[in-house]
Amino acid sequence: YVAALGSLWKGNDERGVFKTTDGGKTWTKILYIDENTGAADLDIDPKNPDILYASMWGFRRQPWTFDSGFGDKSGLYKTTDGGKTWNTIHNGLPNETLGRMAIAVAPSNGNVIYLSVECKSKDKKGLYLSTDAGANWKKVNNEQNTTVRPFYFSEMVVDPKNDSIVMKCGLFMIISEDRGDRFRQMDGAVHSDVHAIWIDPNNTKHVLVGTDGGVYESFDRGRSFKMFMNLPVSQFYHV
């Protein structure tokens, strides 16, 4: 399965969720809204591969601005038959134009799903939680760093063994150990702009993060990190 955003600058039909059953030789578009609404994120039930969740996001980039929620068709969708049919699952979510949403299904419990929701109302955006496989949603935190910067910082990862522990990318990585009620920030020595998180399934205190400054490793669930100094990587803006 692939979530495809499509063109930044204009409407096009190469957007949505795509599926292959032959190892990538051919692809079928299985979820499509319209030419302005792409798929921002996708996650799968750990016990049943026919159950997937997709956040569909309308957006339009211009040289002078960025419109998140463009076209008013953004939404959260679920399939239980491998993408043959999809339904919106919005019960408890803001009843207004939605922006980008990030999905994280708990690997140890497919009923527990975290959702970072961007919308126009400051008091409604934030981190939402479902404990019944998306049938109902409840806002658990609306701190600024629990939402997404629309074109950036959408990644969330749930601890493989403990569905109460969730980590979110952002300017700095934030970590909750009580299902999103409270968050703490990771070791401040790590370079800002965290884009990727990996949690070791055999030792979930062992965490790797990828940032604009390189790759860092923690053995105490983000309280302290060391940087891999032997990786010759950087962020190139111009050649």
Side-chain angles (χ1 to χ4, degrees):
Y1 296 95
V2 165
L5 277 176
S7 174
L8 277 175
W9 307 101
K10 62 182 179 180
N12 76 324
D13 61 6
E14 294 178 335
R15 306 181 190 274
V17 178
F18 292 76
K19 178 180 182 178
T20 180
T21 56
D22 55 14
K25 294 178 182 178
T26 60
W27 292 86
T28 301
K29 185 160 53 177
I30 59 173
L31 177 58
Y32 177 73
I33 306 302
D34 62 21
E35 64 176 9
N36 298 312
T37 309
D41 203 2
L42 186 66
D43 210 348
I44 191 167
D45 187 284
K47 306 297 183 184
N48 186 344
D50 284 333
I51 299 176
L52 294 100
Y53 303 86
S55 67
M56 303 299 287
W57 180 35
F59 65 95
R60 183 60 50 83
R61 166 75 82 182
Q62 301 292 343
W64 57 90
T65 189
F66 185 85
D67 188 345
S68 182
F70 181 82
D72 201 28
K73 295 288 182 66
S74 300
L76 183 64
Y77 289 79
K78 178 180 180 178
T79 179
T80 58
D81 55 15
K84 294 176 183 177
T85 59
W86 296 82
N87 294 294
T88 56
I89 48 171
H90 286 189
N91 190 34
L93 297 183
N95 186 23
E96 59 177 81
T97 298
L98 299 171
R100 185 167 185 167
M101 293 179 284
I103 311 164
V105 181
S108 62
N109 182 358
N111 288 322
V112 175
I113 308 172
Y114 294 87
L115 185 71
S116 180
V117 177
E118 183 209 6
C119 63
K120 303 297 183 184
S121 300
K122 291 183 178 181
D123 62 334
K124 294 181 180 179
K125 67 180 182 178
L127 183 68
Y128 285 72
L129 174 69
S130 174
T131 57
D132 54 11
N136 298 280
W137 297 94
K138 178 182 178 181
K139 188 177 72 172
V140 292
N141 201 306
N142 65 352
E143 294 179 15
Q144 181 63 32
N145 53 7
T146 62
T147 58
V148 294
R149 189 178 179 189
F151 50 93
Y152 223 24
F153 300 152
S154 63
E155 184 78 5
M156 285 192 301
V157 178
V158 183
D159 186 291
K161 295 182 179 179
N162 187 340
D163 61 35
S164 294
I165 299 175
V166 60
M167 304 182 184
K168 186 181 180 303
C169 293
L171 185 61
F172 300 100
M173 185 176 77
I174 56 173
I175 304 163
S176 174
E177 299 181 56
D178 55 9
R179 289 191 172 179
D181 185 49
R182 295 168 296 176
F183 279 90
R184 60 177 169 86
Q185 187 173 301
M186 70 178 183
D187 177 11
V190 176
H191 195 286
S192 59
D193 290 0
V194 179
H195 293 284
I197 303 169
W198 175 78
I199 304 174
D200 187 339
N202 298 312
N203 172 14
T204 61
K205 289 186 176 181
H206 179 207
V207 179
L208 299 178
V209 298
T211 80
D212 280 7
V215 181
Y216 295 77
E217 183 176 40
S218 173
F219 287 95
D220 56 9
R221 194 170 285 132
R223 288 180 168 83
S224 61
F225 278 90
K226 68 175 183 180
M227 183 180 183
F228 289 138
M229 301 298 289
N230 59 339
L231 288 175
V233 296
S234 187
Q235 187 179 33
F236 300 99
Y237 280 94
H238 185 72
V239 176

